[in-house]
Amino acid sequence: MHPQTLLDLCAELVRLTLKFEHPADAVVSHFFRDHRGLGPRERATLAETAYAVLRKKLLFERLALSGSGPKERRLAILGFSGAREFIKSVLSEQEKQWLDACDGVRPDELLDLHRHNLPDWLAQPLKERLGDQEFWALTESLNQQAGLDLRVNTLHDKREDVLRELKTAGITAQPTPYSPWGLRIANKPALNKLDVFTRGAIEVQDEGSQLLALLVEARRGEMVVDFCAGAGGKTLALGASMRNTGRLYAFDTSAHRLDALKPRLARSGLSNVHPAAIAHERDERVKRLSGKIDRVLVDAPCSGLGTLRRNPDLKWRQSAQAVQEMAAKQAAILDSAARLLKPGGRLVYATCSLLRQENEDVAEAFSAAHPDFDRVPVADLLERLLAPLPAQTVDKLCSGGENGRNYLHLWPHQHNTDGFFAAVWHKR
């Protein structure tokens, strides 16, 4: 494609994503449906350009002030995902000089907000919590692309065998450092046409998400509930842990999200999964299972701020008020999910948020209101589940937050995963 045409398309996609009327991934998907003639390389350039602008929106908007032409074009030039020489071939001499000047700006010459590219309501609590050095390490990582993690379906395949199969297909992968099910790929190859994918041997799933499923420790023959199943990534991991026995209920208030589980479920070979759309957390289907369930995972709806590497638009589409409202909803969901457990059962509460308001605050309020639930130190669980990893390595999965070993705290800059939190309880 001619560079000018590609730049024009990038500018149009940037314009659409910055309207913030819909999630960025939905805007990009719709744009590609309207431009079906685009090849894989053009699609990758367009998507990454739009995401680069979203990641560094405050910086690029500041730099764009010194440029000329339509604002979306200036932003697209700054965020262009590709060789600078390629894009310079269609720029005027003035634009080239402007772009060189922008590329030459050093981080230490920027104001804080242009370095971290976060709204103040989010930057402030993170800086207070992490301290200066860790805060800047986090924000630098959030402004990078996320890698690609896979989970091996251990119901039928072994990680070592899948690793060799990927290598034969020309894809270099490495075992994930923590999850015993995971593989990490440096780039983003097309996987969906490979036999290893179509037969259900792998699923795309962040290593942090895999660790959440591991904490449930679902076993053969048990009754297990994934209370906020969504598209079912953790559901499938739980089903494999159960060796396709027992009953695994996948609940969600969105039938549309559960529809995305169906093809994945068919590939996985699992027959113990029972998806069910519920109206709300106190749905009649939930009440009928009260006191009968061995293990419950509540991967609660949240701000999603731990996924900013993948979904950078969230920091501009969320607000402090929205987070506050979300925390109240999370507490209600956790309270209802807890009623499912029988004595001796395990409850896991998780989010992909970085904020204490959605994490420790919700967990500590639940503990205070439910004296019949004993909190289980997550570090103790992981030392057993992740053996033979050294205890010191496991401790690092829990030491990134308050209360020492009690909670799982995953941070993109420390663990190279999305940001995750988890708390675990045992019902007496």
Side-chain angles (χ1 to χ4, degrees), residues 331-345:
I333 291 172
L334 183 57
D335 183 68
S336 293
R339 301 179 186 192
L340 291 168
L341 283 163
K342 60 172 144 182

Side-chain angles (χ1 to χ4, degrees), residues 37-190:
L38 294 169
R41 186 174 297 179
E42 288 86 3
R43 287 171 180 249
T45 299
L46 281 158
E48 285 308 322
T49 297
Y51 276 74
V53 173
L54 290 168
R55 288 189 186 100
K56 299 188 176 182
K57 176 175 174 288
L58 297 180
L59 172 60
F60 287 174
E61 286 179 337
R62 179 68 183 88
L63 295 175
L65 292 175
S66 59
S68 59
K71 179 181 178 181
E72 291 81 9
R73 175 184 165 86
R74 283 174 274 157
L75 294 174
I77 291 170
L78 290 167
F80 186 75
S81 175
R84 279 300 196 227
E85 293 309 311
F86 179 83
I87 200 67
K88 282 183 176 181
S89 66
V90 293
L91 300 185
S92 67
E93 284 304 314
Q94 183 181 358
E95 285 178 319
K96 291 176 187 176
Q97 292 173 12
W98 165 75
L99 181 57
D100 286 341
C102 291
D103 287 345
V105 174
R106 300 193 313 271
D108 60 6
E109 297 175 326
L110 299 172
L111 296 175
D112 281 1
L113 77 162
H114 299 139
R115 281 183 63 195
H116 61 58
N117 285 281
L118 296 174
D120 187 61
W121 68 265
L122 176 57
Q124 197 61 35
L126 287 176
K127 197 166 189 176
E128 289 174 1
R129 175 170 191 162
L130 293 173
D132 201 60
Q133 185 175 346
E134 287 290 307
F135 171 77
W136 289 112
L138 171 65
T139 57
E140 184 177 349
S141 73
L142 293 179
N143 284 325
Q144 307 298 320
Q145 292 183 39
L148 181 65
D149 290 351
L150 308 175
R151 179 185 57 81
V152 174
N153 181 359
T154 55
L155 184 64
H156 300 300
D157 290 88
K158 294 181 179 179
R159 182 160 68 168
E160 296 76 15
D161 295 337
V162 171
L163 198 59
R164 284 192 293 269
E165 192 171 349
L166 288 171
K167 185 176 181 180
T168 301
I171 296 172
T172 301
Q174 300 291 335
T176 47
Y178 308 112
S179 169
W181 309 324
L183 293 172
R184 178 159 294 154
I185 298 176
N187 50 16
K188 296 182 179 179

Side-chain angles (χ1 to χ4, degrees), residues 60 93 112 144 161 211 222 265 269 294 314 322 326 329 331 346 360 367:
F60 287 174
E93 284 304 314
D112 281 1
Q144 307 298 320
D161 295 337
L211 292 179
E222 290 186 329
L265 187 57
D294 295 287
L314 285 175
M326 194 70 75
K329 185 177 182 180
R346 179 180 297 179
E360 290 95 335
S367 290

